[in-house]
Amino acid sequence: PTGWKFFGNLMDSKALFNGTDYTPLLCGEESFGTGSDHVREKDGLFAVLAWLTILAHFNQDASKPFVTVQNIVEEHWARYGRNYYCRYDYEGVDKAKATEMMAAMTSASATNTGKTIGGFTIATADVFGYTDPVDGSVSKNQGIRFLMADGSRIVFRLSGTAGSGATVRLYLEKYDPKILDKHVSEVVGPLVDVAMQLSKLPEYTGRNEPTVIT
């Protein structure tokens, strides 16, 4: 689900709800905000101190070459593989057309499941809903998901629908255990092509390029 508020319930699950104690807890989000259960919000100082602690751990011997953040990340990729992630934002699109596009993908979820497009087999196509394990609340329509058989993901979300325009957010993720040094755009490029075929976004919005790539 989207929003730091969902982490808050997990943090307070025992103290306020007398439920499961999920702490110690580390939380992170796609915009790279990071925090823990000491505060109910993203904490930039915590993120910096966390990395300084990691660097201190890897650099205890001053006689050895300094281990950088890049060294640590690349070693992690070499051991566990790399998740390539990217987000495309299409801002200020026609709200009615964007809503129509989302509705078309929703109605096609069943027929898209099992389909192979651009070399990717769609294992699951659905509209994601989140049930909070703490208070049982349900957050519907959290995004249209295309989960591929190889673990890759395409997710569409619509936001900013209260104003004159809407923003379509396209999330792309692909895991690779061996290819570790390619640019993100090279790896997720084939997923972008699949996403355009599934959504027909250029036809609905008139956009061939995103406003922002994150």
Side-chain angles (χ1 to χ4, degrees):
T2 299
W4 201 264
K5 62 183 180 181
F6 294 104
F7 291 138
N9 266 7
L10 294 174
M11 293 173 180
D12 289 328
S13 58
K14 184 177 181 181
L16 297 184
F17 296 94
N18 295 316
T20 302
D21 186 0
Y22 290 102
T23 57
L25 186 70
L26 283 172
C27 302
E29 63 167 0
E30 51 90 15
S31 62
F32 310 111
T34 307
S36 187
D37 60 0
H38 63 290
V39 63
R40 302 306 184 256
E41 187 50 273
K42 298 175 283 291
D43 185 347
L45 287 176
F46 173 87
V48 171
L49 290 171
W51 265 110
L52 287 175
T53 302
I54 294 169
L55 286 170
H57 171 77
F58 281 97
N59 290 282
Q60 297 181 52
D61 188 343
S63 66
K64 294 182 178 180
F66 185 78
V67 178
T68 66
V69 172
Q70 182 175 347
N71 296 147
I72 295 169
V73 171
E74 289 178 348
E75 181 182 340
H76 178 87
W77 289 344
R79 180 177 299 182
Y80 300 107
R82 181 177 177 183
N83 279 87
Y84 289 87
Y85 165 81
C86 191
R87 190 182 90 188
Y88 283 20
D89 288 0
Y90 298 82
E91 299 175 350
V93 302
D94 182 85
K95 183 167 57 177
K97 287 293 185 182
T99 302
E100 184 181 345
M101 179 188 75
M102 298 293 283
M105 282 191 285
T106 299
S107 63
S109 293
T111 55
N112 279 327
T113 298
K115 187 180 293 185
T116 298
I117 303 177
F120 293 92
T121 299
I122 303 170
T124 302
D126 64 8
V127 179
F128 178 62
Y130 177 71
T131 301
D132 194 300
V134 179
D135 63 12
S137 60
V138 178
S139 300
K140 298 181 178 180
N141 300 318
Q142 291 294 301
I144 298 174
R145 305 188 304 176
F146 299 94
L147 309 180
M148 307 304 177
D150 70 348
S152 300
R153 297 191 296 176
I154 295 171
V155 179
F156 283 91
R157 292 191 72 252
L158 186 60
S159 64
T161 54
S164 58
T167 297
V168 176
R169 302 193 194 281
L170 167 59
Y171 302 84
L172 305 149
E173 186 174 357
K174 189 177 190 308
Y175 169 76
D176 199 302
K178 295 181 180 180
I179 300 176
L180 310 175
D181 57 355
K182 281 193 173 183
H183 192 277
V184 173
S185 61
E186 292 182 68
V187 178
V188 303
L191 280 174
V192 175
D193 294 337
V194 172
M196 294 302 103
Q197 293 181 57
L198 290 167
S199 65
K200 297 182 173 58
L201 186 145
E203 297 173 29
Y204 280 104
T205 67
R207 303 287 184 85
N208 291 311
E209 300 291 338
T211 313
V212 178
I213 299 177
T214 305

